[in-house]
Amino acid sequence: MASRRVTGKTKIFELSVVLRDVRPPVRRRLQVPGELTLAELHDVIQLAMGWTDCHLHEFAVGKDRYGCADPDWGVDGVVDEAKAKLFRLVGAGEWFEYMYDFGDGWSHRITVEKVLAPQPGIRYPRCVSGRRSCPPEDVGGPWGYGEFLTAISDSGHAEHEQFLEWVGGGFDPDEFDLDEVNEALEAMAWAPLLASTGAARSR
C-alpha cells in the first residue's frame, strides 16, 4: 500500500466478519486501519476468510453500493471502492455488507465492534480470532455448501467420493489457522502505521 502520513485521526477499526446463511457460522475478527479504502478492505477480507478473489464483489453501506471502477462491466450506480475510506462510511456499532461471487451469492455481515487507537509494535491489518474454514470456491453458495458437507461426512452418500475428489481429497469445516491468516496479511502491513508505532522491521 502506498505510504500516507498518519494523523491524530487515524484509528483502528475492529470488525466482525460473519458469513451469512452458514451454520455453524464462519467468522473472522479483524483489526484494520480506519483509513483503508474499501478496495483495500476487500483484499483483507479475501485473505482472512480464505477466498481466492476469482469472482466479482461489492459492498453495500446503507443505500450505497461500492465496487470496482471497471468500465468494461458497465455497472450503474456503483461508487468506486478505491475512493471510499472506511472511517468516512461507518462508525462503532454500525454494520455493512460485503457480497462475493454473485453466482454463489456469499453475503458477509461486517460489524464495527470497536474503534481503537493503534498499539505500538502491532502490525495492521491483522486477524485476532476466527472460527471455521472458508467454504470451497464454486461450491454453490450456502445451499450447495450444506449439500457438500452432508456428502463428505457420509461415506455411504452417493456423491461422497465425487465431492472428495473435487475438493482435493479432504476438507475440514472446523479448521481455522490464525497464524496462517496473519502470515498472509503480513504483506499488507499498512506502511504509515508501521512507521508511527515502531512496528516496522526488515523483510
Side-chain angles (χ1 to χ4, degrees):
M1 298 177 187
S3 177
R4 283 162 280 185
R5 185 172 65 89
V6 174
T7 70
K9 295 180 180 179
T10 300
K11 298 293 183 181
I12 300 302
F13 279 47
E14 185 165 293
L15 307 176
S16 168
V17 182
V18 179
L19 187 60
R20 286 175 158 172
D21 302 318
V22 173
R23 296 291 182 271
V26 177
R27 66 173 71 236
R28 306 287 184 262
R29 179 167 285 108
L30 308 173
Q31 291 182 345
V32 305
E35 292 191 21
L36 289 189
T37 66
L38 292 186
E40 292 167 327
L41 181 60
H42 156 72
D43 292 335
V44 173
I45 294 171
Q46 285 285 312
L47 289 174
M49 290 298 296
W51 299 120
T52 59
D53 201 9
C54 57
H55 298 284
L56 294 175
H57 69 275
E58 188 175 279
F59 291 92
V61 185
K63 296 181 180 179
D64 297 319
R65 296 155 56 216
Y66 299 83
C68 296
D70 188 343
D72 293 337
W73 289 101
V75 180
D76 294 329
V78 176
V79 182
D80 184 356
E81 64 184 6
K83 298 179 180 179
K85 291 189 176 183
L86 181 63
F87 82 98
R88 296 188 185 278
L89 300 175
V90 289
E94 298 181 319
W95 67 275
F96 56 105
E97 184 179 19
Y98 171 74
M99 179 69 73
Y100 174 63
D101 185 356
F102 300 152
D104 276 9
W106 295 112
S107 176
H108 308 68
R109 181 182 173 112
I110 305 176
T111 304
V112 183
E113 295 190 324
K114 301 175 185 176
V115 178
L116 311 163
Q119 298 180 40
I122 300 298
R123 298 170 69 87
Y124 301 99
R126 67 170 181 162
C127 183
V128 295
S129 66
R131 288 187 60 194
R132 295 177 63 83
S133 181
C134 183
E137 295 274 6
D138 303 315
V139 76
W143 181 86
Y145 184 48
E147 290 291 302
F148 166 79
L149 292 179
T150 297
I152 65 170
S153 64
D154 179 4
S155 60
H157 194 284
E159 296 180 294
H160 177 77
E161 294 298 332
Q162 178 182 342
F163 270 123
L164 283 180
E165 181 178 355
W166 174 75
V167 81
F171 179 83
D172 182 359
D174 295 319
E175 182 179 12
F176 173 73
D177 190 327
L178 182 62
D179 291 337
E180 184 177 295
V181 170
N182 280 316
E183 184 176 340
L185 291 172
E186 186 87 357
M188 297 188 67
W190 203 60
L193 282 180
L194 288 178
S196 68
T197 63
R201 66 186 184 192
S202 60
R203 297 179 184 175

